[in-house]
Structure formats: structure tokens, C-alpha cells
Amino acid sequence: MRFIYLAILRQKDHLTLILTVLVSITLIFTNDSKDIQVLRAKANDVFSFLYTPMAWIRSVGTLKEEANLLREKNLQLTLQMETMLRLAQENRNLREMLNFKRESKITLQPANVINKGLMSNMISLTVDVGKLDGISENNPVLTPKGIVGKTVLVGEGSSVVQLLSDHNFRISVRIFPSGQTGILRWLNAGICEIREVQKNAIIRVGDSVVTSGFSDFFPKGIPVGEVIGIQDERASFHKIVSVKMHNDLSSLLNVFIITKIVNAPE
């Protein structure tokens, strides 16, 4: 207690000054005279000027926080939109496949793609149906857009499908409206070529290409693609026809497997 008393005595001049200033400020701001009002206004201008940079700094921080929140919200909305678009596309694909199965004159087994590239010596995919579902080797595999391959290895509950994009895959096709036939093989990037086509055949870009029915496994009339180019083969009586596939073989999710041909499409 004595220590506090001695400290007050030593600092009495400073304490007296501080107390006097506080009392003066209190008296000033509790006085309603015109001069005091002017002084208050001046003081308020000074304090406002001093507080302006701080308010600006606070607003910048708030704007940055709001910008981050908006960016996060924008990302969430973008992801939600992508999900909705993907689901809508899947729904359209499933509806298309359902309609195709209803209208088809062949017996079809729907299947889901569960794996890709299982066999190192073949471009293939694996589907979730097998012998228990009536699948056997060399069954044609297709989508509503057309042929994609055939089964080559069949288990009890799964099957390996050799894709048309495998360079060893061959299929006999017919070009309409000319009716010319040839052997189709994969070239690259969704493009195939048909060889053994007579040079005098009238074929135009945009002509449709379907299975010919000459195969023991593929029924006739199944879509394959459309003609995008014609080239005469040198020193030969044949021409080469370039064909664009209807299917994107790199993005298959659902397919059909033909298990029985009731009445091959005309």
C-alpha cells in the first residue's frame, strides 16, 4: 500500500494533467454551446479522416473474403451442373437403349461395361454378363448407334468383348444406296476403311454403311458408320472407302449383346 502511495506522489503532476484533460474533454462534449458544437464537428472530421484508411482496409479484407466465397460457390455450382448434365446424358442413353430393345427384331441382352483393356494383345472391354445370361463366344455387341465388337471370352458372369478398333477385327459390310460390299477394318481415331470395293461403284460421301449379313455371326443391316471419303487404289480394280464410326468406342458405358437372331433386320 505504501508503495502505491509513493508512486502516486511521484507521478502526481502527470496524474493531475491526465485528470484535468479528461474533465475538460467531458465538459466540452457535455456542453451544448455553439462554439463547442463547432469544435465537436472539427474533432469528428479529424477522427473521420484518421478512421478512413482503417475502414478501407477492413472493406478490402471483406471483399477478398466475399470473393473467395463466391469462387467456392461458383465451383460448387459448376460441379453440380456437370453432374446434372452427365446424369441427363446417361438418362438419354438408357432411354435410347430401351427403345432400341423394344423395336429390335433380335434377342438382346443388355450389359454394363465394367473394365477396359483387360487383354494385352487385344483392344477389348469387359461386360457384366456371361454364360448364365445366355452369352456365348462370337456374339455381336452393339449400341443403338451400331456395331462395336463381338464377344471372344465368356465366363459365367462376365465376358470379354473384342472391339472393332482392334486391328485384327474384320467385318463384312454393305454400302447404301449402291449396295457394294467390302471388308471393313479399323484405321485410327474413329475412322475405318473398306477395301475390296469395285472401282466403278458409285459411292458418295454421306452414304450409310451397315453389316452385309455374309458373316456367320453378324446379322445384316446393323449400322456401322457413314462414308467420309473415297480413294482409288493404284494399279488395282478396287477403291478404298473411308468410314466414320457412329460409336465412340472410348466412352462406352452400356451395350447390347445379340444372343439370338429372331428375324434379322432388312
Side-chain angles (χ1 to χ4, degrees), residues 166-206:
D166 185 75
H167 288 282
N168 293 317
F169 195 100
R170 300 288 186 274
I171 184 171
S172 176
V173 295
R174 187 181 298 275
I175 305 169
F176 281 102
S178 68
Q180 290 295 314
T181 59
I183 304 299
L184 181 137
R185 67 201 72 187
W186 182 262
L187 193 59
N188 57 57
I191 306 299
C192 299
E193 64 179 17
I194 306 172
R195 293 181 176 270
E196 292 80 40
V197 178
Q198 294 182 8
K199 184 170 287 187
N200 62 353
I202 301 175
I203 298 172
R204 297 181 177 85
V205 172

Side-chain angles (χ1 to χ4, degrees), residues 34-86:
K34 185 177 293 186
D35 293 336
I36 295 301
Q37 292 290 347
V38 173
L39 182 60
R40 286 177 182 171
K42 297 284 188 183
N44 186 64
D45 290 340
V46 172
F47 284 118
S48 297
F49 177 78
L50 295 175
Y51 282 134
T52 297
M54 298 180 64
W56 180 80
I57 292 172
R58 285 198 301 270
S59 66
V60 169
T62 302
L63 287 174
K64 287 184 178 180
E65 184 177 354
E66 290 179 352
N68 289 333
L69 290 173
L70 287 173
R71 281 195 293 267
E72 181 181 352
K73 189 66 174 177
N74 183 57
L75 177 59
Q76 291 177 350
L77 291 174
T78 300
L79 294 176
Q80 290 176 4
M81 184 178 68
E82 290 295 330
T83 301
M84 292 175 67
L85 290 174
R86 177 177 56 81

Side-chain angles (χ1 to χ4, degrees), residues 26-34 36-37 40:
T26 303
L27 291 173
I28 289 172
F29 284 97
T30 56
N31 195 320
D32 292 331
S33 66
K34 185 177 293 186
I36 295 301
Q37 292 290 347
R40 286 177 182 171

Side-chain angles (χ1 to χ4, degrees), residues 83-97:
T83 301
M84 292 175 67
L85 290 174
R86 177 177 56 81
L87 292 175
Q89 183 60 46
E90 289 181 2
N91 185 55
R92 286 193 293 270
N93 291 340
L94 292 174
R95 285 178 178 273
E96 187 178 28
M97 293 183 73

